[in-house]
C-alpha cells in the first residue's frame, strides 16, 4: 500500500484502482466493476441505478441493505422496501411470486408502487454466515426475471460462500445483473468494495458513486490493499472457517450455551445463551479480552478474520466459560417471539 502507484480516481486515472476493478470483474465474470469506499455505498449505488423514485424492491427482512444501511433505499433512492421472511436469510421463488401477487382485474396499476428489483444476500450475515445453495439462487432469480425484476446480489462475503462450497464466485454471480463484494470482510484489506455488472450499468453507476460522495482521488493506496487481499488472502479463508468451526464445537461443550456447530458454515458463529443476558455477557467477556456482539434478545455473534490463530480460539473458549461461570444466571429477559434475530441485531 505504501508503494502503490496512484492517480486521480475521479478522472479514472488511478492505475491501481483500474487494475483492481479489472481483476475483480474477471474473477466474478462480469463486464465491468467500480471501486467504492464501502459495501453500503456499492449496494446503495446499485439500488439507485436500478430503480426510480416510487419503485419497490424485494429484500429479505434481516438483510443488511434493509436493516443496517440507515434506511438508505428510502432516503437516497426514494424506494419502498418490501421485506420477505427467510429461513436463516434464505427465501424461495414462492415467496417472490407471493409478494408480486396475481394481477387484479379491477385494481388500477396506478395505485401500487411497481416492484423493480430483487436483492439477495450471500453469505447472509444475520443468518449466521449462511450460504445460499446455488439452486435456491437460480430459483429466486428465475422468479425475479419472470416478474421483470432486476436482480442484485449483496455478496459482501461472496468469497466465503465460494470457499465453503467450492462453487466459484463467478457461478454465484452469473444469475444476477449486479453484484457487490467487500474486500474488508475477513480478507485482511482495510477498506473498500466493488460493484459489478455490464459496462453500461457500471458507467451509469459511476455517476451515482460521485453523487453519493464516493469519488475518492488517490484511492490506489487502499486499492493496493484490496488487490493484495484478492491475490494472497482469498485462499486462506478456508483456514478461518475451520477456526470458526472449532470455536463452535468448543462452545457446544459449555453449559449455558445452545449452538448447532453443523450450522456454522463460514466465518460467523451465532450462538444462544440459555441463562445469561447477552449484553452483560458480551461486556464481561470484552473485559477479559474477547470481542463479540450481542445479536437479538438472547444470542451472540462472533466473527472470524484473517489474523486469528488457533491458540486465540482456544483462549476465547476459556474466556467464554469463565465469563459464564462468573455471571449471575437468572437475569435473562423473557424470550421475544420471533426468534433470535427479532427486534435486534
Ligand atoms: C459489511 C456488509 C456490507 C457493507 O458494509 P460496509 O461496512 O458499508 O462496507 C454489506 N452487506 C453485508 C451483508 C455486510 O455484511
Amino acid at each position: 500500500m505504501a508503494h502503490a502507484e496512484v492517480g486521480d480516481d475521479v478522472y479514472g486515472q488511478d492505475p491501481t484502482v483500474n487494475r483492481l476493478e479489472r481483476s475483480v470483474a474477471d474473477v466474478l465474470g462480469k463486464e465491468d466493476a467500480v471501486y467504492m469506499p464501502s459495501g453500503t455505498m456499492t449496494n446503495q449505488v446499485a439500488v439507485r441505478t436500478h430503480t426510480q423514485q416510487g419503485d419497490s424492491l424485494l429484500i429479505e427482512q434481516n438483510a443488511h441493505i434493509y436493516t443496517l444501511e440507515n434506511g438508505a433505499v428510502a432516503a437516497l433512492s426514494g424506494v419502498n422496501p418490501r421485506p420477505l421472511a427467510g429461513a436463516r436469510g434464505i427465501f424461495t421463488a414462492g415467496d417472490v411470486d407471493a409478494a408480486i401477487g396475481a394481477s387484479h382485474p379491477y385494481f388500477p396499476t396506478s395505485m401500487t408502487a411497481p416492484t423493480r428489483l430483487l436483492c439477495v444476500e450471500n453469505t447472509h450475515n444475520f443468518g449466521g454466515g449462511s450460504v445460499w445453495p446455488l439452486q435456491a439462487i437460480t430459483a429466486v432469480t428465475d422468479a425475479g426475471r419472470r416478474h421483470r425484476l432486476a436482480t442484485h446480489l449483496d455478496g459482501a462475503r461472496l468469497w466465503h460462500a465460494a470457499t465453503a462450497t467450492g462453487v466459484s464466485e463467478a457461478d454465484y454471480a452469473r444469475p444476477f445483473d449486479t453484484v457487490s463484494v467487500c474486500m474488508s470482510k475477513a480478507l485482511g484489506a482495510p477498506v473498500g468494495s466493488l460493484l459489478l455488472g455490464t459496462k453500461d450499468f457500471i458507467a451509469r453507476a459511476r455517476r451515482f458513486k460521485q453523487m453519493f460522495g464516493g469519488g475518492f482521488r488517490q484511492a490506489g493506496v487502499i486499492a493496493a490493499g484490496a488487490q493484495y487481499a484478492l491475490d494472497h488472502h482469498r485462499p486462506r479463508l478456508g483456514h478461518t472457517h475451520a477456526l470458526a468451526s472449532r470455536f463452535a464445537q468448543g462452545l457446544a461443550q459449555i453449559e449455558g450455551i445452545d449452538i448447532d456447530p453443523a450450522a456454522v458454515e463460514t466465518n460467523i458463529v451465532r450462538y444462544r445463551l440459555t441463562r445469561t443476558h447477552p449484553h452483560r455477557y458480551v461486556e464481561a467477556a470484552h473485559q477479559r479480552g474477547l470481542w463479540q456482539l450481542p445479536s437479538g434478545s438472547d444470542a451472540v455473534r462472533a466473527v472470524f478474520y484473517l489474523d486469528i490463530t488457533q491458540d486465540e480460539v482456544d483462549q476465547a473458549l476459556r474466556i467464554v466459560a469463565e465469563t459464564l461461570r462468573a455471571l449471575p444466571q437468572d437475569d435473562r429477559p423473557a424470550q421475544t417471539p420471533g426468534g433470535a434475530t427479532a427486534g435486534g441485531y
Side-chain angles (χ1 to χ4, degrees), residues 93-116:
D95 296 328
V96 175
D97 290 337
I100 300 291
S103 64
H104 188 304
Y106 304 116
F107 224 56
T109 51
S110 54
M111 283 179 77
T112 50
T115 304
R116 300 284 191 209

Side-chain angles (χ1 to χ4, degrees), residues 38-40 43 64 69 121 123 125 154 156-157 182 184-185 193:
S38 73
T40 298
N43 280 331
H64 195 279
E69 298 186 7
E121 183 173 315
T123 67
N125 184 352
D154 178 357
R157 293 186 184 79
C182 287
S184 57
K185 296 290 172 75
S193 290

Side-chain angles (χ1 to χ4, degrees), residues 19-66:
R19 180 160 104 83
L20 176 70
E21 290 175 345
R22 193 64 262 145
S23 309
V24 177
D26 288 346
V27 171
L28 272 286
K30 294 294 187 198
E31 273 179 25
D32 206 355
V34 52
Y35 185 47
M36 299 191 211
S38 73
T40 298
M41 189 178 284
T42 47
N43 280 331
Q44 294 304 328
V45 165
V47 170
R48 182 67 185 80
T49 311
H50 278 300
T51 60
Q52 295 182 29
Q53 267 196 338
D55 288 346
S56 292
L57 64 78
L58 296 182
I59 185 142
E60 204 277 330
Q61 64 183 1
N62 291 310
H64 195 279
I65 289 176
Y66 182 51

Side-chain angles (χ1 to χ4, degrees), residues 285-334:
H286 187 191
Q287 281 166 8
R288 289 174 154 85
L290 175 61
W291 292 40
Q292 307 167 97
L293 284 176
S295 186
S297 62
D298 65 351
V300 180
R301 175 177 173 274
V303 180
F304 288 73
Y305 54 88
L306 190 74
D307 292 339
I308 294 176
T309 64
Q310 185 167 308
D311 282 351
E312 287 171 319
V313 171
D314 296 338
Q315 190 189 343
L317 286 166
R318 284 194 297 277
I319 292 175
V320 168
E322 273 170 33
T323 305
L324 285 174
R325 267 200 306 276
L327 282 175
Q329 306 199 339
D330 56 356
D331 64 343
R332 223 160 64 79

